[in-house]
Amino acid sequence: MSEPAGGQAPRDAALVSSASFPPASPLAAALSLLTIGACCLLLMQLDVPLLRFLRSLDLSSIQRAGDLGEKVGNGASLVAVSLCLLGFGWIARRKPWTQAGIESLLAHGCVGLLVNGLKHLIGRPRPRLTHSGEWQWWPSWESGLDSFPSGHTSATFAVVTVLARHWPRAAWVGYGLATWVAMSRVWRGSHFATDVVAGMVAGSVVGTIFASPLREWRETLLRAIVHVTPIAVIVTSTLWVVLHRVGNIWVDRVLSLTGLALLAAGLAIRLRTGRSARPTSGPAAYRVGIGLVGLGLSFMTGSLILVTLAGLALSAWWVHAQTPLPSTRPAAGGLYAAAILLAALLIFELKGIVPIR
């Protein structure tokens, strides 16, 4: 039976896009894992101070939003979504909907097994058990010693990643909800920031694997690790910038000016070469432009730690053979430049806005 045009097109487009990627790069995946590990180490330094800051605030006005976020990311709610997709696809005879339901169920189950195994193997206490700020990590089956990674976050991102693969135009809605679930886990005191970042990574990687041909799972795994690394870097860098005061003002100014110069050069190169870039084999100058933009933003944070982190992530991206270089239109190039300039402005405005000790 032929599929409805509105149901099959997004899925086919996603599969064609995936199939056009060159082989995955193990070196890029290794560099990405190193970057993600560095992100977790940095966030662990912020976990307790951020927790103390949140406890000092009156969050009663957003408590309901947090409770709703917990319900959205609950296993029963996510399973219900998958079953609804599966049921509708079967009744209406729409294969893409059926596939989405099956794949999201499998991704949810797999990430649940993975995350719950890690939770008890690591045995990190929940925030409510760490009032003193001192604790030990140790394998445990006790209740409350299962904070890392966040189960709600990983499950939500796994399901959303699958659905985004089938309906890419609505991906922003799903990822927006998943991000809200992740944030609510922190402000409700259920998890540390490190827990939710690890959950985002685990859920995104597992979701990508099940949304792709399973026979290609090894390449998909490597590719997913590389693609999720920038998100971990952005979240880590944002928290680091917001929660740290500027130390030496002159060092900050030198790094910021260096960042502005790199940013200007990167934008000029990127906009000049953007129109001629091809999806899989764009010119080296195009890559250089994007790399300079990323490095420039990291310098503008005024933190050598974040510069190093960005350098690791960009190194992984550079050696990743299948990183697609999307073709751009003039409007897209202008939108890209506007987004980068807005990010630079936010970095300046948000430095140390919520300083913690």
Side-chain angles (χ1 to χ4, degrees):
M1 188 186 79
S2 61
E3 298 294 337
Q8 186 68 43
R11 175 66 173 173
D12 288 344
L15 290 178
V16 170
S17 174
S18 175
S20 65
F21 289 155
S25 169
L27 176 58
L31 288 170
S32 295
L33 286 175
L34 179 61
T35 306
I36 293 171
C39 287
C40 288
L41 289 176
L42 285 180
L43 284 176
M44 285 177 187
Q45 299 182 40
L46 301 177
D47 279 339
V48 174
L50 178 59
L51 176 63
R52 290 173 177 166
F53 171 73
L54 291 175
R55 285 174 176 168
S56 69
L57 302 178
D58 180 10
L59 300 177
S60 57
S61 59
I62 60 174
Q63 187 61 35
R64 289 184 179 179
D67 294 340
L68 187 56
E70 181 177 16
K71 292 179 181 178
V72 170
N74 185 272
S77 300
L78 296 174
V79 169
V81 170
S82 299
L83 291 178
C84 287
L85 291 171
L86 182 58
F88 177 80
W90 182 74
I91 294 173
R93 296 184 179 181
R94 294 193 176 185
K95 189 176 180 180
W97 291 70
T98 305
Q99 286 181 327
I102 294 174
E103 291 169 0
S104 59
L105 278 175
L106 292 174
H108 186 184
C110 181
V111 81
L113 291 174
L114 172 65
V115 166
N116 278 286
L118 289 174
K119 280 175 174 287
H120 297 291
L121 179 64
I122 295 172
R124 185 184 195 183
R126 297 263 183 173
R128 67 176 183 271
L129 302 178
T130 57
H131 291 278
S132 65
E134 298 179 0
W135 65 85
Q136 293 182 344
W137 296 25
W138 195 258
S140 174
W141 289 97
E142 294 184 26
S143 176
L145 300 181
D146 55 355
S147 188
F148 183 94
S150 167
H152 281 68
T153 304
S154 60
T156 307
F157 269 90
V159 172
V160 165
T161 299
V162 171
L163 300 186
R165 180 81 168 187
H166 287 268
W167 296 282
R169 291 184 179 179
W172 65 274
V173 177
Y175 283 118
L177 287 172
T179 302
W180 168 39
V181 170
M183 293 174 60
S184 71
R185 303 306 290 163
V186 177
W187 83 57
R188 292 182 78 256
S190 300
H191 284 284
F192 295 102
T194 312
D195 303 336
V196 299
V197 170
M200 290 170 59
V201 171
S204 299
V205 170
V206 172
T208 301
I209 291 173
F210 280 95
S212 305
L214 290 181
R215 64 180 178 276
E216 301 173 4
W217 71 269
R218 290 182 179 85
E219 290 190 1
T220 303
L221 173 62
L222 298 179
R223 187 162 57 239
I225 291 172
V226 175
H227 288 179
V228 78
T229 299
I231 305 301
V233 173
I234 290 172
V235 173
T236 302
S237 299
T238 300
L239 288 175
W240 193 269
V241 167
V242 170
L243 300 174
H244 274 80
R245 292 182 182 275
V246 175
N248 189 311
I249 188 65
W250 291 107
V251 172
D252 179 74
R253 288 179 178 176
V254 170
L255 291 177
S256 296
L257 289 174
T258 303
L260 280 174
L262 292 172
L263 193 64
L267 281 175
I269 295 173
R270 195 284 190 190
L271 295 177
R272 174 181 292 183
T273 60
R275 296 186 186 183
S276 62
R278 296 180 180 178
T280 57
S281 57
Y286 185 83
R287 293 179 181 272
V288 171
I290 294 178
L292 288 177
V293 167
L295 202 58
L297 289 174
S298 68
F299 268 91
M300 291 176 68
T301 66
S303 169
L304 290 175
I305 294 177
L306 297 184
V307 171
T308 303
L309 195 65
L312 282 172
L314 287 170
S315 298
W317 173 77
W318 183 267
V319 302
H320 189 39
Q322 91 263 12
T323 300
L325 295 175
S327 57
T328 58
R329 294 169 294 182
L335 184 62
Y336 174 84
I340 294 301
L341 292 176
L342 176 61
L345 178 62
L346 288 175
I347 289 174
F348 277 121
E349 294 296 327
L350 296 179
K351 282 184 183 179
I353 193 171
V354 186
I356 57 178
R357 296 180 181 178

